[in-house]
Structure formats: C-alpha cells, structure tokens
Amino acid sequence: MKASNKVSAFSLLICSNFAMADWSTTLTAVSDYTFNGVSQTQNDPAIQASLDKAFEGGVYAGSWASNVDFGDTDIEWDFYLGKYVELDEQWSADYGIAYYSYHGASESSDGNYPEAYAKFGYSNALGQTEFNFWYSWDYFGEGAGHVIAMVAHTVEVAPNHTLRASIDVSNSLDGDKWLWQGDEKSYYHYRLAYQTSSDKFNIEISAENTSLDFDTADERVVVSVSRTFAL
C-alpha cells in the first residue's frame, strides 16, 4: 500500500495568488510516484493530473488523480478543500481537509480515508521554511489514528534554480491497527530536490530515502515534469 500523507503527490496551492478566483489544471509526468518516500507504482512511472479552483479570500478546492499499483488497485483519486492565509509579511498558513479514494477492484475503496492538514510557512532573505502537519483518524480505513510532521526549507541558489530539503516522520497512533514494518509504528523520510522551470514547464529532480527496509522505500532519484494551465 501507499505511505503516509500527500506531500509530494499534489501541492495544495501554497502561494499568494488566491485573490484571483480562477480555474487551473496541472499535468505531471513522474518517473516514480513516491508518497513520503514509498513508491505507489512499484518503482514505475506515473501520469498525474489535478483540477483546482481558487476563490477570493484564500479558499481553494480541487481534485487530483494518479495511476498506482496496489495489486488490483490502479487509480488514486483525491479531493481537497482548504484555505490559505497570509498572517503577516513573513508568516503564512494553509489548512484544510483531504479525502483519498482508490479504484480498480471492488475492495479498493476499503482503503479510502480522510485527512486534515495544517501548514505554516516562514519567509525571509534566507528562503522559506515550512512546518507541516497531517492527521487522519481512519488511516486507510483501518480505524487507526496517524500523524505526519515535516520540516522543510527552500532556498533559491540562483535565478530560476531552487533547492528544497525536507525531513518528515510518519507515526501510527494505534499500533494494534497499523504498523509500518515489523513492530515499528513510525519511520523517517529524507528528501533533497532541485527545482527549475523552462518554457512554462516545471522540472524537479529529487533524491530521497527512508528508514524503512524494503525495495519500494529505499534510496532513489525521482524526476518529474509538470505544466499548469489556466482555464
């Protein structure tokens, strides 16, 4: 199955342009769909798409989909609703709720689950630091509480050339219902990404690893190319 919260799967519009009430869609090709460092496609590529609506006042809503490979489950389709707020010149907050659904076999929907999130950003001359949190009270339909915490920092090393480093921990609050490996209730995920853009395409090359010990969660390099279209 998949791993932890939707950090690298879709970006929940953490930006400052919510004053415009517009539709947009993003198409992405990625060499491996990893979710907190664990491949959701058995180390194979994925095609992903989102449809987003930004409203006045920072409210946004959207949907995101990707191919996956969990046995007979081959589609993940997610929905989210949230709000972005600029607290002052340096601090911002982004909070909301997401719902993850799975399709392919009749039992695929057994893994559907909701998740609440809160993300805080701090920007200064040294870049932007993020403090992000996710919580599910029914992780993968197992009735288990699950929490993820992340710290990340993004810095522009040259015009149109950015580095983003992050570390996150995924932690089960109910070990009798959900364990990650053996008797371990938690694991760590480390990621370093290079980001740039060219001719309206966003490009990211990331190196990542986890503290888990299986082949879909080991060290890897992931390449993604995406483009956003205003509708």
Side-chain angles (χ1 to χ4, degrees):
M1 283 298 252
K2 68 187 296 183
S4 188
N5 67 298
K6 188 72 56 187
V7 174
S8 57
F10 55 74
S11 172
L12 291 173
L13 301 177
I14 307 176
C15 55
S16 60
N17 62 354
F18 287 110
M20 300 180 64
D22 288 325
W23 289 92
S24 65
T25 184
T26 299
L27 304 178
T28 303
V30 61
S31 62
D32 187 357
Y33 168 21
T34 60
F35 199 41
N36 291 90
V38 180
S39 176
Q40 308 302 288
T41 50
Q42 298 297 316
N43 304 322
D44 288 333
I47 298 297
Q48 304 166 344
S50 69
L51 178 64
D52 299 290
K53 173 70 172 178
F55 300 89
E56 293 182 0
V59 176
Y60 60 90
S63 182
W64 180 94
S66 176
N67 61 288
V68 296
D69 187 359
F70 309 146
D72 292 330
T73 299
D74 48 29
I75 295 293
E76 176 183 343
W77 190 6
D78 306 334
F79 305 88
Y80 42 93
L81 173 68
K83 184 173 183 177
Y84 175 88
V85 181
E86 291 184 343
L87 303 176
D88 57 29
E89 292 183 355
Q90 293 181 303
W91 284 95
S92 65
D94 178 19
Y95 56 91
I97 190 166
Y99 186 76
Y100 308 121
S101 69
Y102 301 93
H103 308 269
S106 59
E107 66 274 12
S108 296
S109 61
D110 293 345
N112 296 0
Y113 71 98
E115 188 176 67
Y117 60 88
K119 304 181 180 184
F120 303 93
Y122 175 77
S123 300
N124 58 24
L126 300 178
Q128 177 169 311
T129 303
E130 302 167 44
F131 306 93
N132 303 331
F133 306 91
W134 297 261
Y135 168 68
S136 177
W137 52 95
D138 186 24
Y139 198 59
F140 275 103
E142 297 291 335
H146 194 271
V147 175
I148 304 98
M150 167 189 280
V151 177
H153 186 73
T154 302
V155 59
E156 187 178 55
V157 295
N160 197 34
H161 298 279
T162 299
L163 292 178
R164 183 177 186 271
S166 64
I167 179 172
D168 53 88
V169 57
S170 298
N171 184 51
S172 173
L173 303 180
D174 296 293
D176 58 331
K177 298 178 180 178
W178 183 275
L179 291 171
W180 279 107
Q181 184 175 17
D183 59 355
E184 297 179 6
K185 294 201 301 180
S186 64
Y187 78 95
Y188 289 90
H189 169 225
Y190 318 91
R191 190 170 187 267
L192 177 63
Y194 163 73
Q195 301 167 332
T196 188
S197 62
S198 176
D199 195 24
K200 299 182 180 181
F201 288 90
N202 296 316
I203 302 166
E204 181 180 82
I205 304 172
S206 65
E208 53 188 301
N209 200 359
T210 76
S211 59
L212 296 171
D213 186 21
F214 47 84
D215 61 0
T216 54
D218 57 11
E219 66 278 0
R220 66 196 58 229
V221 174
V222 178
V223 179
S224 70
V225 179
S226 64
R227 183 168 178 177
T228 299
F229 301 87
L231 301 179

